[in-house]
Amino acid sequence: MAALKGSSTGGPLPRAEKALREQAGTRNAATVDMHANQLTVSPETVRALVDEQFPEWRGLPIKGIAAHGTVNAIFRIGDRFAARFPLQAGHVDSIRDWLESEAEAARELAGRTRFPTPEPVALGEPGEGYPLPWSVQTWLPGAVATDEDPGESVAFAHDLADLINDLRTIDTRGRTFAGKGRGGDLKAHDAWMETCFEHSEQLLDVPRLRRLWEDLRSLPREDADVMTHSDLIPGNVLVSAGRLAGVLDVGGFGPADPALDLVSAWHLLEAGPRQVLRLHLGCDDLEWERGKAWAFIQAMGVVWYYVRTNPPMCRMGRRTLDRILADRSTVRA
């Protein structure tokens, strides 16, 4: 067992997991098998690992959290902590590097926006019944937007704009986008989009969506990278009484296209509040369309990939595509 320390290396992820995170962009808990050789994590296993590695928590109850994400199983430890267990097998050192890199990002973001975010607490090691490192972070109260839809809330749209502005004002310290996932060059996703179109023939109006991608993929990039959350989907946003109550899954916090966090406009908001968000942020046409493009890439991936194994994620993708196609500013759709 170990207290979490910062890491600047961020080792490689297992290939399937890396592709999933970069293209579909979903990183929360899972309750059904969605991947080949998916690991099983039971409350009994978590109890044993916690008791062995963190004896100071032996008296705290363990509770599994039902969620709609794809990469980690999540369990509450008492009222203050959440344990996250990667669901796909990989090299122990690579998984540890990944967890430490996520913790470093969470540590950098903590207290930098007006909305609470999870903070790293500890790093667990492989043990009886579970073969990988795992992490512990602070627990945040609130309902995920998947369960408490804020789509019609103007107040939530203002909150979301405040969050994005807060993120953008954090110093990049000279860093630029260095990944292969969303947030860099739109055209770099052509091969992935072709895969999505091929798998979506029986699910979506692919000819129409292909025409839209031809327009979106060519949008120019003019602005420098800013700090972004990078995955503002409903499962990563906490809501209370129609307001933004917190932000989860902050391990992807880093520099990227300023339009990347605008995926939230299409994943989370209906037309009226979406326009409020745009006006609050002062987005010009190019930035707004690029945000739409990043949301389009993400939505196309989750519809077909999770059509049988994670229906809530599939529905999220379909709703996002419907919003994009219904938008009057969408070109040649």
Side-chain angles (χ1 to χ4, degrees), residues 30-305:
T31 56
V32 295
D33 283 357
M34 292 164 287
H35 319 294
N37 302 315
Q38 181 168 309
L39 300 176
T40 299
V41 189
S42 69
E44 293 76 18
T45 296
V46 176
R47 177 82 273 167
L49 291 169
V50 168
D51 288 355
E52 178 185 0
Q53 299 183 30
F54 302 98
E56 65 273 27
W57 297 337
R58 282 180 178 169
L60 300 179
I62 301 292
K63 179 182 179 182
I65 301 300
H68 307 306
T70 61
V71 174
N72 296 297
I74 300 179
F75 294 79
R76 287 192 69 173
I77 304 175
D79 295 328
R80 297 174 53 204
F81 306 123
R84 294 158 59 88
F85 293 82
L87 283 168
Q88 287 190 282
H91 191 278
V92 169
D93 290 339
S94 296
I95 297 296
R96 185 180 292 108
D97 286 344
W98 163 41
L99 295 177
E100 290 183 341
S101 177
E102 289 199 326
E104 182 181 27
R107 191 176 294 110
E108 180 182 358
L109 179 58
R112 305 293 294 277
T113 82
R114 66 200 78 184
F115 304 97
T117 58
E119 299 183 33
V121 175
L123 180 66
E125 292 296 332
E128 184 66 29
Y130 185 74
L132 300 175
W134 47 283
S135 63
V136 181
Q137 59 184 213
T138 54
W139 173 264
L140 298 183
V144 292
T146 308
D147 299 328
E148 186 174 321
D149 186 0
E152 296 286 3
S153 173
V154 170
F156 180 88
H158 283 295
D159 290 342
L160 192 57
D162 287 338
L163 169 68
I164 294 171
N165 272 329
D166 288 348
L167 293 167
R168 289 176 172 181
T169 60
I170 298 173
D171 190 356
T172 64
R173 294 185 281 133
R175 293 168 293 179
T176 58
F177 179 78
K180 296 181 180 179
R182 291 170 293 107
D185 179 13
L186 287 168
K187 291 181 180 179
H189 296 265
D190 281 342
W192 169 249
M193 294 306 296
E194 184 58 34
T195 297
C196 292
F197 292 137
E198 290 175 358
H199 282 88
S200 301
E201 291 286 355
Q202 306 303 314
L203 302 171
L204 301 167
D205 185 352
V206 169
R208 186 183 184 193
L209 294 168
R210 282 183 181 275
R211 293 194 300 271
L212 177 55
W213 175 241
E214 280 303 307
D215 291 316
L216 294 175
R217 67 182 293 277
S218 299
L219 291 168
R221 167 80 181 277
E222 298 176 352
D223 299 319
D225 287 349
V226 299
M227 299 301 283
T228 68
H229 175 280
S230 82
D231 197 19
L232 289 176
I233 61 172
N236 291 337
V237 172
L238 293 173
V239 182
S240 179
R243 302 298 298 266
L244 179 59
V247 187
L248 304 176
D249 203 8
V250 299
F253 172 66
D257 182 349
L260 181 56
D261 280 343
L262 296 180
V263 298
S264 59
W266 308 95
H267 292 324
L268 286 157
L269 299 176
E270 300 299 341
R274 191 184 314 131
Q275 186 63 17
V276 169
L277 174 78
R278 178 176 182 176
L279 292 173
H280 189 131
L281 290 172
C283 298
D284 61 24
D285 290 345
L286 179 56
E287 181 182 49
W288 192 246
E289 289 296 305
R290 285 185 66 84
K292 184 186 298 180
W294 293 122
F296 181 82
I297 292 171
Q298 193 169 23
M300 283 298 306
V302 300
V303 170
W304 69 268
Y305 193 96

